[in-house]
Amino acid sequence: MFSPYGNNNLLNIVKIKRHANLTYSFINHWMHICKQSSVISNKIEVSSTNELTDETQFCALEKSVTPLCRVPYERQLILKQQWTNTVCKELRSRLHNAKTVIRLPKVFPISSSPQINEYRNKDEFNFRPGIDGNPKTLGFFVSNPSNGSIYCVPAMKLINTKQSHKDIAQAFEVFVRKSELPVSYDHMDGGFWRGIIVRSNLKGDKMAIVVANPRGYTNDVMLDEQRRFNDFLQSININIQSLYFHPSLHTRSSKDSIFILVDGDKYIYEDLCSFKFRISPDSFFQINTLTAEVLYDELFKLISPTKTSTLLDLCSGTGTVSIIGSQHVQSCIGIESVAQAVNDAKETAKLNNISNCDFIEGKVEIVLKHVMDELSMASDLCTVLNPGRAGVHPKVINAIRNNRLINSLAYVSCKADSPITMKNLVELVVNNKKSRPFTLESIKPVDMFPHTKHCEIIFMFKR
């Protein structure tokens, strides 16, 4: 039988069937349904460590961040395929409870990641006390089951993190431990150093963003620390193409957007699907570049645009879907609420000499009606909704359902088991008297995050 996903995926199907005898006992051991924090659980059951020590801390971090790293990769794909089926069944159950009858969508086999180790192109390291009590320990947080305390564990043994990122983080920890300034765990605690974000591309170019709490510190102090850290990196021969300093007054640094270029280039660039993307300090970019190419290839296979199509890119971020889709359609319109993301999208379009993309700043539920009025004569409209992990506000779903021209919608989710995402999916399909519902035709999983319990899922809706 012909498969639109090619011979490689047929081989994957054969491999999955070959391991079918392992599936039930393996999945029953590793996966459970129903979890208070999410609608559907693909929680991994691992043996817990009663107390964190120098020897057990790295194992504890591994189990927290990469719980499947000791599972053969083919078995990881089996687990994620099974979890995708569970998502489908949960959605059907919820629609049944809402008295909406649906036919089962086609669930395609999961696409594997071309790179399963050291694939992360962005990591954020923060300070907390280490297991040895040193308050200036940089890494990721792990809870100690014996007393509930939070400790920081360095990322040196995580296999999904690039060695270059680990090297920069380790150098920053050494520098901060020599600094007279304290670290900051909270924006009101009087500390200064908060952490570091490291980004990189496939070529190996690196961007580092030092995050600090400026509250109570003069500009002279901050400028001096920036210079000292830059000199320190050069003294130990760590080459960073772009070094930024990010003074942040809030607990979440995304709430302010002051990025000071300390040294090097203003941007780094990444090649994706034959296009060149500009990456700034706060740009959104898929965490696994090679698998992102797989994701977008599968996405456009499912939506099947033509040269007469108009692509409506909702929650467009930095314009990745529009930029890649521009070669397949007549025109693209991206709607995004974050101003800097819209600017990045416009600049990336210019960088690639793309003239058929337009990006609009604003909330989807507000801007969509005006955009659809402009597209009232469009004969072929395909729509992509690619929100963050938390899904979108119900007003966005209502705006989509109320627009009669939107009859094809691809909803891309990296966390399909979140309560809001599941609610979004149900609201697209459920019957009501106000608007015509969609039908969920197919589901396509893509393993964007090897060694973790997560994957990207494309939900293809039609009406």
Side-chain angles (χ1 to χ4, degrees):
M1 183 174 67
F2 172 75
S3 168
Y5 294 99
N7 293 330
N8 288 337
N9 283 84
L10 291 175
L11 291 174
N12 284 339
I13 297 172
V14 172
K15 290 178 181 178
I16 289 174
K17 290 181 177 178
R18 187 181 301 151
H19 292 281
N21 61 323
L22 300 172
T23 303
Y24 290 104
S25 61
F26 192 75
I27 291 174
N28 287 336
H29 176 69
W30 289 84
M31 301 182 68
H32 294 266
I33 303 173
C34 299
K35 179 184 177 186
Q36 290 183 351
S37 62
S38 63
V39 176
I40 303 164
S41 172
N42 57 345
K43 181 181 179 181
I44 307 303
E45 294 294 331
V46 295
S47 57
S48 61
T49 303
N50 290 328
E51 185 174 358
L52 292 181
T53 66
D54 287 341
E55 292 75 25
T56 63
Q57 60 176 326
F58 297 108
C59 183
L61 180 62
E62 176 186 282
K63 290 173 181 176
S64 175
V65 178
T66 55
L68 293 179
C69 67
R70 297 187 184 274
V71 178
Y73 187 57
E74 287 185 4
R75 293 188 183 182
Q76 293 185 34
L77 295 177
I78 292 173
L79 289 176
K80 294 183 182 186
Q81 186 76 53
Q82 178 68 18
W83 178 71
T84 303
N85 293 335
T86 305
V87 169
C88 179
K89 291 176 183 177
E90 175 66 18
L91 180 58
R92 180 181 61 177
S93 174
R94 286 171 169 265
L95 287 167
H96 176 75
N97 292 337
K99 298 181 180 181
T100 298
V101 179
I102 65 166
R103 62 181 178 83
L104 289 177
K106 181 174 183 179
V107 181
F108 289 105
I110 189 168
S111 291
S112 60
S113 174
Q115 182 177 357
I116 64 173
N117 294 332
E118 297 192 17
Y119 60 83
R120 291 184 59 88
N121 55 38
K122 179 183 178 182
D123 287 293
E124 183 171 351
F125 307 93
N126 292 286
F127 286 106
R128 279 295 187 281
I131 195 66
D132 60 356
N134 193 317
K136 294 182 174 182
T137 301
L138 186 70
F140 300 108
F141 304 155
V142 172
S143 175
N144 190 345
S146 66
N147 57 19
S149 299
I150 302 295
Y151 292 99
C152 192
V153 179
M156 60 182 65
K157 294 189 178 180
L158 290 178
I159 66 173
N160 64 345
T161 304
K162 294 180 181 181
Q163 187 60 48
S164 59
H165 292 202
K166 298 174 185 177
D167 292 342
I168 293 170
Q170 187 174 22
F172 185 57
E173 182 185 78
V174 170
F175 174 80
V176 171
R177 286 185 172 183
K178 293 180 179 179
S179 171
E180 295 180 357
L181 300 183
V183 293
S184 175
Y185 306 150
D186 180 83
H187 65 292
M188 296 298 290
D189 62 8
F192 182 73
W193 303 109
R194 293 186 53 189
I196 191 168
I197 300 168
V198 184
R199 310 190 69 155
S200 61
N201 58 20
L202 291 174
K203 292 194 306 179
D205 297 331
K206 295 173 287 293
M207 173 185 287
I209 304 106
V210 174
V211 184
N213 180 8
R215 196 182 304 273
Y217 297 92
T218 66
N219 287 335
D220 287 342
V221 169
M222 290 189 287
L223 288 171
D224 185 56
E225 294 299 323
Q226 295 170 36
R227 177 189 56 77
R228 289 179 61 246
F229 181 54
N230 189 36
D231 292 344
F232 176 74
L233 289 174
Q234 294 178 9
S235 71
I236 59 176
N237 295 320
I238 289 187
N239 184 26
I240 295 179
Q241 279 67 36
S242 180
L243 177 62
Y244 276 89
F245 179 77
H246 179 36
S248 176
L249 289 170
H250 300 91
T251 301
R252 293 184 62 84
S253 62
S254 60
K255 288 188 176 181
D256 37 44
S257 56
I258 300 173
F259 293 91
I260 302 168
L261 182 64
V262 178
D263 194 18
D265 301 324
K266 194 173 182 179
Y267 310 103
I268 60 174
Y269 296 88
E270 183 64 285
D271 293 327
L272 178 67
C273 297
S274 301
F275 294 96
K276 188 175 185 179
F277 287 84
R278 188 182 83 173
I279 298 175
S280 56
D282 57 346
S283 294
F284 170 78
F285 201 76
Q286 291 286 359
I287 203 71
N288 184 340
T289 305
L290 293 178
T291 308
E293 294 192 337
V294 177
L295 175 70
Y296 295 124
D297 182 57
E298 298 295 344
L299 173 64
F300 285 103
K301 285 178 183 177
L302 285 173
I303 62 179
S304 301
T306 69
K307 287 294 185 180
T308 61
S309 299
T310 299
L311 174 61
L312 188 59
D313 183 9
L314 306 180
C315 303
S316 55
T318 52
T320 310
V321 170
S322 292
I323 297 297
I324 296 172
S326 64
Q327 61 188 323
H328 303 297
V329 300
Q330 183 180 61
S331 61
C332 307
I333 298 176
I335 302 176
E336 169 59 45
S337 62
V338 179
Q340 184 56 50
V342 173
N343 290 336
D344 284 340
K346 291 179 177 179
E347 289 302 317
T348 297
K350 291 179 182 178
L351 184 66
N352 291 276
N353 298 314
I354 294 172
S355 58
N356 64 340
C357 290
D358 189 18
F359 298 99
I360 301 171
E361 179 189 344
K363 292 183 177 181
V364 172
E365 60 269 31
I366 296 175
V367 176
L368 185 57
K369 185 181 186 306
H370 171 72
V371 171
M372 296 307 296
D373 288 343
E374 296 292 323
L375 296 176
S376 59
M377 300 302 292
S379 58
D380 183 10
L381 183 67
C382 50
T383 306
V384 176
L385 176 59
N386 187 10
R389 298 183 67 174
V392 293
H393 193 279
K395 289 182 179 179
V396 176
I397 302 299
N398 290 336
I400 293 171
R401 284 193 54 149
N402 290 332
N403 277 279
R404 59 179 180 79
L405 289 177
I406 300 180
N407 295 311
S408 173
L409 172 69
Y411 187 114
V412 185
S413 174
C414 63
K415 192 170 175 56
D417 62 346
S418 78
I420 297 179
T421 299
M422 184 58 65
K423 186 178 181 182
N424 290 164
L425 300 175
V426 169
E427 288 173 342
L428 284 167
V429 179
V430 71
N431 289 323
N432 64 43
K433 296 180 180 179
K434 296 180 179 179
S435 58
R436 191 159 53 98
F438 286 85
T439 297
L440 178 58
E441 290 205 336
S442 60
I443 297 175
K444 173 63 184 179
V446 177
D447 188 21
M448 184 70 70
F449 318 102
H451 309 309
T452 78
K453 59 183 180 178
H454 303 293
C455 66
E456 291 269 3
I457 300 182
I458 305 170
F459 296 90
M460 192 66 218
F461 294 90
K462 299 278 189 179
R463 65 176 177 179

